Amino acid sequence: TSETSFVPNDCTIEDAFGRNANLVLPSLGLGLSLSASKKIEISDKRPTIESIDVDVSSGEYGAGQLINFSVSFDREVIVSGNPLLPLNALMPATYTHGSGTTTLHFEFRVIEGDNLDRLDVSQQTDASILLPLPHDDLITLLTNGQTPSPVIADSMFGGITILHSLEIAIDTTPPTVISISPQGLTTPDGTYAVGDTMTFEVIFDKPVEVSIICTSTNHIHAFSN
């Protein structure tokens, strides 16, 4: 405290014999003073976003796959409601957990129609975590008393991006056949009779997974992905 003594505030403090108490406080930083016994900081500083990370490596991702984002604040925060993290994709990432810590986690599921050379958070200069219901959705400071604070976090992250070394591409277009040809060693040019086996190679424009398909008259085998 900056005061040197208690402020009476229209009251008296005395002992059992009616003698007024000496209200002078211990000197700052000495002995039994508050500053010497405890380190208590008072601040109305708003928690701010320091970084945004993602839990996948560089590569191509398709419809249905999950990508998780983590948003790190400089102080612990409490979350109420369901905040959203805007991306450069069709839909934002949705909040999953992290309230009471410095890191909030968001989940993004790739949907049909998402096609991006590089997935990232929104690069708008005023980009911020979205609060769909302002009266119900809040991100506030967590106090040392483990209770929510009226100090609302600064949810803006304009200028922050995920690691530039990560190249996360989103491609939901279906694979397309670009060529089909008989394999030269096993199926050369010529005339074939009933019962002969011919082997063909079908090339797609991207990797595919194929299961073995069997019918009563034909056998189609997947040799590789």
Side-chain angles (χ1 to χ4, degrees), residues 3 48 58 74 127 132 185 223 225:
E3 297 292 338
T48 58
S58 296
D74 61 349
L185 295 178
F223 293 101
N225 290 337

Side-chain angles (χ1 to χ4, degrees), residues 2-212:
S2 61
E3 297 292 338
T4 58
S5 65
F6 278 120
V7 178
N9 196 25
D10 296 330
C11 67
T12 59
I13 301 176
E14 55 187 28
D15 64 12
F17 302 102
R19 293 174 296 193
N20 290 330
N22 181 356
L23 302 183
V24 176
L25 299 174
S27 298
L28 291 177
L30 298 178
L32 299 178
S33 68
L34 179 61
S35 61
S37 59
K38 291 287 185 180
K39 184 178 181 180
I40 299 175
E41 179 183 355
I42 306 298
S43 173
D44 60 357
K45 176 187 174 184
R46 301 173 66 188
T48 58
I49 295 173
E50 292 186 317
S51 63
I52 301 177
D53 298 310
V54 67
D55 71 342
V56 297
S57 57
S58 296
E60 183 178 287
Y61 296 84
Q65 291 188 282
L66 288 177
I67 299 175
N68 296 301
F69 291 82
S70 55
V71 179
S72 297
F73 285 81
D74 61 349
R75 306 172 77 182
E76 295 175 337
V77 293
I78 288 284
V79 176
S80 301
N82 298 286
L84 303 172
L85 179 65
L87 308 174
N88 61 343
L90 294 177
M91 299 295 291
T94 56
Y95 169 74
T96 57
H97 64 284
S99 182
T101 72
T102 58
T103 304
L104 304 184
H105 299 270
F106 294 79
E107 177 184 273
F108 170 67
R109 184 180 295 275
V110 181
I111 62 173
E112 294 289 347
D114 274 327
N115 293 289
L116 299 165
D117 292 332
R118 186 178 188 274
L119 176 67
D120 205 337
V121 294
S122 173
Q123 292 301 292
Q124 298 291 328
T125 55
D126 59 349
S128 66
I129 294 177
L130 302 176
L131 303 172
L133 301 173
H135 297 292
D136 299 322
D137 299 337
L138 291 173
I139 302 176
T140 56
L141 172 67
L142 175 66
T143 67
N144 286 339
Q146 305 298 305
T147 57
S149 162
V151 178
I152 298 176
D154 182 354
S155 298
M156 295 189 64
F157 59 85
I160 295 178
T161 182
I162 61 176
L163 290 175
H164 289 289
S165 59
L166 286 176
E167 294 295 335
I168 302 171
I170 303 296
D171 188 352
T172 60
T173 56
T176 301
V177 174
I178 58 177
S179 70
I180 180 170
S181 60
Q183 291 191 336
L185 295 178
T186 58
T187 310
D189 293 343
T191 301
Y192 293 82
V194 174
D196 288 343
T197 298
M198 293 179 289
T199 304
F200 295 87
E201 181 178 72
V202 179
I203 299 178
F204 289 82
D205 61 352
K206 63 180 66 177
V208 295
E209 294 182 1
V210 185
S211 59
I212 296 177

